Amino acid sequence: MLVTTDYTEKKTVLIATVIKKQNKVLEEIYELKSLAKTLGAIVIKEFIQNIKYKKPKTFIGKGKIEEIKNFIIVNNIKLVIFNDNLSPSQLKNIEKTLTFEVVDRTKVILDIFSKRAKTSYAKAQIKLAQYKYALSKLPKLWTHLEKQRGGIGFRGPGESEIETDRRNIRITINKLNKKIQLIDKQMNTQRKHRKNIIRISLVGYTNVGKSTIMNLLSNAKVSTVEKKLFSTVDTTVRKIKIKKQIFLLSDTVGFINNLPTQLIDSFKSTLSEIKESDLLIHVIDITKNSFIKDIKYVENLLLEIGIKKNRIIKVFNKIDRCSELNTKKSIINKKYLQNLLFISALQKKTIKLLKQKIYAFTKSINRNIHRNK
Ligand SMILES: Nc1nc2c(ncn2[C@@H]2O[C@H](COP(=O)(O)OP(=O)(O)OP(=O)(O)O)[C@@H](O)[C@H]2O)c(=O)[nH]1
Ligand SMILES: [Mg+2]
């Protein structure tokens, strides 16, 4: 039922649109390129189109689509990825003109997650998101067909097929929800047993170095560290020890701008693991120009799930390869004032500082935990 797209070594073009801010789209297209590369696609060209409004039928103008079509034929392109999330009818109309598969940003992210998931829990969460996405594409397509066939009330064959699809997807969604609830229950029981141990979670944007820090603090190669986006989609928990104090450290899934809502919903239970942590280490890639925006995006997501700011240490990572480090440092110091640290997960000295900071922070938490239990 779920359509899997093959990206491997496919010559690909990216399409993004700008309505107002040019800056935002350049960052987004850079991110989309990394996402496509993560799946093995070879990005040949990026088309950025200024539009006044989204065209209902084809999103971008017909002239632009013709231009892209010519480029595709001449350069033997095999895949088109759209930065914007397209409606099913827009997807269908564009595919009709270009005569092959077009995917949108949401589908790309869902495909990466589905490739990365290892545990049955994460697999079920991602499947749920994929089925919800598939369902979200159906009703509009249905309306589109209805119109084509002469209005509401006309019962053509396509319509009943879509009806059956919709029913089957809903049945699968229910099954997956039940499976996830069952695993949640088991995990809650496990967590209750760990109530007396201080819990810390590494959170942050994707590719900032969370798993690298996890490996350093736990002295083990347990988490996947990769240059690619979303290396980690399964939460891993390790016991760590700093000056005889024992903690449980979780490495969690990374965030990205415009994370598909279906995924956020599916990962709510994983995010509640973050919520129950005594301390969060918010890791930030200081080398990125957009690092302040990334912080805001992560903080907003954390706020949505009810995380208080005083339980967060901001760790600015990758100082070893940051240009204009001093300028950035002074901006950060003015903006965030406290509970922050500049490190390079590659440099041992700064990891020592991180350990000291965690230890100092958890000393006060420890007192509160014992007072409350
Ligand atoms: N130069 C430099 N690179 C780093 C540093 N820390 C991590 N990296 C690199 O950054 C990339 C991403 O690291 P990960 O630890 O996988 O990042 P993550 O935050 O776990 O990423 P996701 O699991 O995808 O969310 C890898 O190529 C690391 O080697 C650092 O301090 N300096
Ligand atoms: Mg990771």
Side-chain angles (χ1 to χ4, degrees), residues 204-213 224-233 251-255 283 317-321 343-347:
Y205 217 75
T206 179
N207 209 44
V208 292
K210 299 180 294 297
S211 301
T212 310
I213 295 173
T224 29
V225 171
E226 263 189 89
K227 224 174 180 173
K228 294 175 174 174
L229 303 186
F230 300 115
S231 313
T232 315
V233 301
D251 182 16
T252 63
V253 60
F255 299 144
V283 186
N317 189 30
K318 306 195 188 180
I319 55 168
D320 57 285
R321 66 173 191 92
I343 72 157
S344 154
L346 301 180
Q347 291 170 350

Side-chain angles (χ1 to χ4, degrees), residues 326-341:
N326 286 335
T327 320
K328 283 185 174 173
K329 267 187 175 177
S330 72
I331 295 172
I332 292 163
N333 281 320
K334 268 188 212 141
K335 204 170 165 65
Y336 300 108
L337 303 173
Q338 57 179 356
N339 295 334
L340 44 98
L341 201 64

Side-chain angles (χ1 to χ4, degrees), residues 101-136:
E101 195 184 0
V102 175
V103 294
D104 62 14
R105 183 185 169 95
T106 301
K107 173 110 180 33
V108 173
I109 295 178
L110 289 174
D111 285 342
I112 296 181
F113 269 69
S114 117
K115 272 198 162 176
R116 297 285 183 175
K118 290 191 191 79
T119 59
S120 71
Y121 186 44
K123 278 183 187 160
Q125 286 173 312
I126 289 149
K127 269 230 163 86
L128 178 65
Q130 285 180 309
Y131 277 99
K132 280 185 180 166
Y133 172 77
L135 192 64
S136 80

Side-chain angles (χ1 to χ4, degrees), residues 23 33 65 92 109 151 167 188 192 194 241 265 272 315 323 350 356:
N23 270 353
K33 202 172 172 178
I65 294 190
K92 201 170 175 248
I109 295 178
R167 211 174 25 245
N188 274 338
K192 271 182 195 149
R194 301 171 181 161
K241 208 171 171 185
D265 277 352
S272 72
V315 171
S323 54
T350 52
Q356 282 166 7

Side-chain angles (χ1 to χ4, degrees), residues 78-273:
K78 297 287 183 225
L79 185 68
V80 173
I81 303 178
F82 236 91
N83 186 43
D84 303 87
N85 287 322
L86 302 171
S87 75
S89 60
Q90 285 164 341
L91 265 175
K92 201 170 175 248
N93 289 334
I94 298 170
E95 278 179 349
K96 218 158 121 190
T97 317
L98 298 181
T99 62
F100 62 84
E101 195 184 0
V102 175
V103 294
D104 62 14
R105 183 185 169 95
T106 301
K107 173 110 180 33
V108 173
I109 295 178
L110 289 174
D111 285 342
I112 296 181
F113 269 69
S114 117
K115 272 198 162 176
R116 297 285 183 175
K118 290 191 191 79
T119 59
S120 71
Y121 186 44
K123 278 183 187 160
Q125 286 173 312
I126 289 149
K127 269 230 163 86
L128 178 65
Q130 285 180 309
Y131 277 99
K132 280 185 180 166
Y133 172 77
L135 192 64
S136 80
K137 296 286 174 190
L138 277 180
K140 280 183 193 158
L141 181 64
W142 194 26
T143 320
H144 172 71
L145 286 177
E146 262 174 7
K147 273 188 196 149
Q148 231 182 27
R149 288 170 205 279
I152 297 161
F154 185 90
R155 296 223 149 240
E159 197 180 322
S160 65
E161 272 165 23
I162 292 165
E163 189 74 82
T164 315
D165 278 355
R166 198 202 303 257
R167 211 174 25 245
N168 286 338
I169 293 177
R170 287 221 170 97
I171 291 169
T172 314
I173 286 178
N174 280 340
K175 277 187 194 158
L176 287 166
N177 267 327
K178 278 188 187 139
K179 188 173 178 177
I180 291 170
Q181 275 167 14
L182 196 76
I183 306 177
D184 278 345
K185 235 179 171 174
Q186 291 162 351
M187 289 178 99
N188 274 338
T189 322
Q190 274 176 17
R191 284 206 287 260
K192 271 182 195 149
H193 291 309
R194 301 171 181 161
K195 223 176 168 180
N196 290 319
I197 308 179
I198 294 179
R199 279 154 48 191
I200 306 171
S201 290
L202 288 156
V203 297
Y205 217 75
T206 179
N207 209 44
V208 292
K210 299 180 294 297
S211 301
T212 310
I213 295 173
M214 169 81 159
N215 284 344
L216 284 169
L217 292 176
S218 61
N219 291 323
K221 278 216 164 84
V222 283
S223 296
T224 29
V225 171
E226 263 189 89
K227 224 174 180 173
K228 294 175 174 174
L229 303 186
F230 300 115
S231 313
T232 315
V233 301
D234 305 84
T235 304
T236 35
V237 184
R238 299 286 150 199
K239 218 182 234 183
I240 60 159
K241 208 171 171 185
I242 305 174
K243 293 187 195 169
K244 289 188 184 155
Q245 172 75 60
I246 289 174
F247 314 98
L248 285 178
L249 183 67
S250 307
D251 182 16
T252 63
V253 60
F255 299 144
I256 195 162
N257 251 316
N258 303 329
L259 201 60
T261 47
Q262 298 92 345
L263 264 180
I264 298 178
D265 277 352
S266 287
F267 275 84
K268 278 245 159 85
S269 36
T270 303
L271 296 178
S272 72
E273 167 117 14

